Amino acid sequence: MCGAELMVTTTAEAIAAEAPGAETADAPKGITVVKLSFRAGGASGFHASLKDALAGQAWVASSLAELTDEPVASDGRRATSGGGISTILSTAHESERARDETLQSAFADLDALTAKAKEIVGMAEHLATQLHGGKHAPEHAFRQYLLDLGIDSPVTRDTAGAVFHSELARELCDYLEHYVAQCGGSVALVDAYCLYNRAREFSPVFPSDFAQACRKFADLDLPLRLREYPSGLLVLEDAASADDALVLARVDSYIASFGPLTASDLAAIEDCPLALAEERLWLAERHARVCRDEAVEGVRFYENRFRPVQ
Amino acid sequence: MASTTAAAGEPFQFPEMYNFPPFFTRQPNESTWKEQRRQWCDLVLAFYRHNRLYSMSLAEAVTEPPFANRQLRRALRVDVLREVVDELVKQGNAVWAGAKGTKDICLVFWRKPEVWATMIHQWASERGLFNTVLTVFELANGDDTAGQEFHGLDAATLRRALDVLQSQGKAQLFAGASDEDLGVKLFA
């Protein structure tokens, strides 16, 4: 401050006023004492500054500033002091790392989910084979539920390649045969598609692939058949009961025992979708087995009395 | 229709089909429809013969028997009846009357004009009325023809029968001041 050598002289104002006792008591114990002499004045200004520093506890404040130094830097508020490009780079790096972490944890979750699904399917199959011996209806039903849960290693385009549709057709037959039989020998293609895709879980098939595979049933001599009704309704049928004659015979017998039928009557009797019941009645109509009565209440089908009596 | 009802009092016996609801719906199946149409044609001719009716206005006809069945609350649609009449026309048992190209009114021939023509010729032969001028009105409504099948025949149908005779060279028509005054001379 003064630039000159400091002489060991006590400034009466500063030291004597602060600790007159300390000078005499502390000095002999070897505590460093600094004596400042102000020859060309300025002592009062220094004293004021010192008092401020003591009052504000400047040493505590500066150490606090040092502690909060790092977060401030990552915030980029100190970019000016840290320096241009390197700070930008490190910031970019930082956010990339955060993103990686998020993705990794997300995929770890998905893997876990897949692994669990496979486990569950495996468990279901295991239980199913264990129950195989049992012929009791509830056990049988339970076994079917388990089978319905899923398909292990389903056929995909990647695994089957060129024969994808044929392979898919085989798998479809294996999977759906039981269901079709349960539904009285025929189900709407849409229902079958939903059921099958639910079982495939993570690798659903496209509707077009599904329909294409179904069209191969006859060529591959599989036990199911795809039938397209004139209205465009697609139906999967049991090859054994796909015969028109059987449908016609059933409709005939229903009319004989229940009287004239509406499509919803037939849907209730056969427990099939309304659209399918309509198609069956229309089929019978095309074969001149029934005739219709159109009234305000709807269309009702009667036995065909117009057939010329031979 | 100024026609006597020969079988008055005796109600028409409707066929069993008349109480079968699908009879009143046009069947989409072609072979079924053909049979259904045949039965309708038979019913129309039988009903018109029984009630000695000769012409039909389609829009009115579908509101009453035999084209409507009040018990069943069913009625044939006009367009379906038109198809039935088209078939009758094809068989020669009806012709479309009314304005050209319209299909709203028709004559129903439950006996074909040729058959009427033969009957009239037969009658004239029996009565020795050849080469005598008769009015068409007296032919249908005169005392001389009372008891004959063609007595009470409606004018349009009678005219067609006489046209048939004229084309065969067995009659000659003389136009009068009006349709009522139409005269005819029959030949052997």
Side-chain angles (χ1 to χ4, degrees), chain A residues 285-288 290-295 297 302-308, chain B residues 16-17 20-23 25-29 31-32 35-36 39 74 77:
Chain A
E285 185 178 55
R286 280 196 298 280
H287 282 80
V290 298
C291 58
R292 64 170 64 200
D293 166 38
E294 281 170 10
E297 312 89 72
Y302 286 69
E303 116 195 56
N304 189 357
R305 284 201 215 157
F306 295 113
R307 271 178 292 178
Chain B
E16 210 181 310
M17 255 318 161
F20 186 51
F23 192 44
T25 299
R26 194 227 190 261
Q27 298 302 317
N29 179 305
S31 69
T32 307
E35 180 57 23
Q36 185 190 15
Q39 298 193 13
R74 297 283 187 281
R77 289 210 318 259

Side-chain angles (χ1 to χ4, degrees), chain A residues 1 9 18 20 24 29 79 88-89 114 128 135 144 165 198 250 252 266 280-281 285 290 293 309:
Chain A
M1 183 177 244
T9 36
E18 203 167 304
T24 48
K29 281 184 185 165
I88 293 171
L89 276 178
T114 317
K135 273 278 169 263
Q144 194 51 42
H165 288 125
R198 196 185 67 193
R250 283 209 308 274
D252 277 355
L266 183 62
R280 286 181 180 154
L281 287 168
E285 185 178 55
V290 298
D293 166 38
V309 187

Side-chain angles (χ1 to χ4, degrees), chain A residues 67-205:
Chain A
L67 278 176
T68 55
D69 216 24
E70 278 316 300
V72 171
S74 70
D75 251 342
R77 256 195 277 161
R78 273 185 55 186
T80 44
S81 69
I85 290 176
S86 65
T87 315
I88 293 171
L89 276 178
S90 77
T91 311
H93 213 73
E94 196 68 25
S95 62
E96 199 178 319
R97 204 168 51 83
R99 206 164 44 229
D100 267 0
E101 253 168 40
T102 316
L103 283 176
Q104 240 157 29
S105 66
F107 276 118
D109 284 355
L110 196 62
D111 282 345
L113 190 62
T114 317
K116 279 279 179 289
K118 282 221 185 323
E119 233 169 77
I120 287 170
V121 171
M123 206 157 74
E125 284 193 339
H126 178 68
L127 280 170
T129 42
Q130 274 194 334
L131 285 170
H132 195 67
K135 273 278 169 263
H136 301 294
E139 276 182 13
H140 187 70
F142 180 57
R143 181 174 164 256
Q144 194 51 42
Y145 288 140
L146 292 175
L147 280 178
D148 285 349
L149 267 178
I151 295 167
D152 201 17
S153 66
V155 176
T156 63
R157 229 177 235 290
D158 297 336
T159 58
V163 290
F164 172 56
H165 288 125
S166 305
E167 286 304 308
L168 184 59
R170 284 182 221 281
E171 187 178 281
L172 278 176
C173 261
D174 287 348
Y175 181 72
L176 291 170
E177 207 184 338
H178 178 86
Y179 175 62
V180 171
Q182 238 178 8
C183 296
S186 57
V187 291
L189 191 70
V190 184
D191 295 345
Y193 176 75
C194 293
L195 188 79
Y196 176 69
N197 252 354
R198 196 185 67 193
R200 279 185 68 119
E201 298 159 359
F202 292 104
S203 52
V205 289

Side-chain angles (χ1 to χ4, degrees), chain B residues 9-181:
Chain B
E10 245 179 80
F12 179 72
Q13 284 295 315
F14 283 100
E16 210 181 310
M17 255 318 161
Y18 186 67
N19 293 310
F20 186 51
F23 192 44
F24 296 88
T25 299
R26 194 227 190 261
Q27 298 302 317
N29 179 305
E30 207 47 37
S31 69
T32 307
W33 163 240
K34 270 186 190 152
E35 180 57 23
Q36 185 190 15
R37 188 177 58 186
R38 192 189 64 73
Q39 298 193 13
W40 266 115
C41 286
D42 288 355
L43 175 57
V44 171
L45 293 178
F47 188 85
Y48 274 56
R49 174 194 292 266
H50 183 268
N51 293 307
R52 295 188 79 85
L53 302 174
Y54 301 97
S55 78
M56 182 200 295
S57 161
L58 273 64
E60 283 171 32
V62 292
T63 61
E64 47 196 275
F67 305 110
N69 184 328
R70 293 205 178 91
Q71 271 94 53
L72 293 182
R73 288 193 292 160
R74 297 283 187 281
L76 206 61
R77 289 210 318 259
V78 175
D79 55 328
V80 182
L81 176 56
R82 202 164 281 143
E83 281 190 77
V84 171
V85 174
D86 269 335
E87 178 63 18
L88 285 171
V89 170
K90 218 162 91 188
Q91 294 169 359
N93 285 318
V95 285
W96 289 112
K100 211 173 163 57
T102 62
K103 291 184 171 182
D104 299 318
I105 300 169
C106 72
L107 293 177
V108 177
F109 301 141
W110 40 271
R111 203 168 264 158
K112 290 188 181 177
E114 293 78 15
V115 180
W116 289 123
T118 313
M119 282 180 166
I120 292 165
H121 194 259
Q122 183 86 24
W123 167 81
S125 158
E126 282 167 11
R127 297 289 175 99
L129 289 170
F130 286 145
N131 300 314
T132 313
V133 177
L134 305 160
T135 63
V136 172
F137 181 80
E138 80 179 302
L139 206 54
N141 305 300
D143 295 338
D144 281 352
T145 61
Q148 290 296 320
E149 281 277 354
F150 57 86
H151 187 82
L153 197 59
D154 87 314
T157 309
L158 179 56
R159 176 63 197 267
R160 280 178 189 268
L162 295 176
D163 283 344
V164 170
L165 284 175
Q166 181 164 274
S167 70
Q168 291 171 348
K170 291 176 177 172
Q172 178 155 21
L173 290 165
F174 303 99
S178 68
D179 277 357
E180 298 272 301
D181 298 337

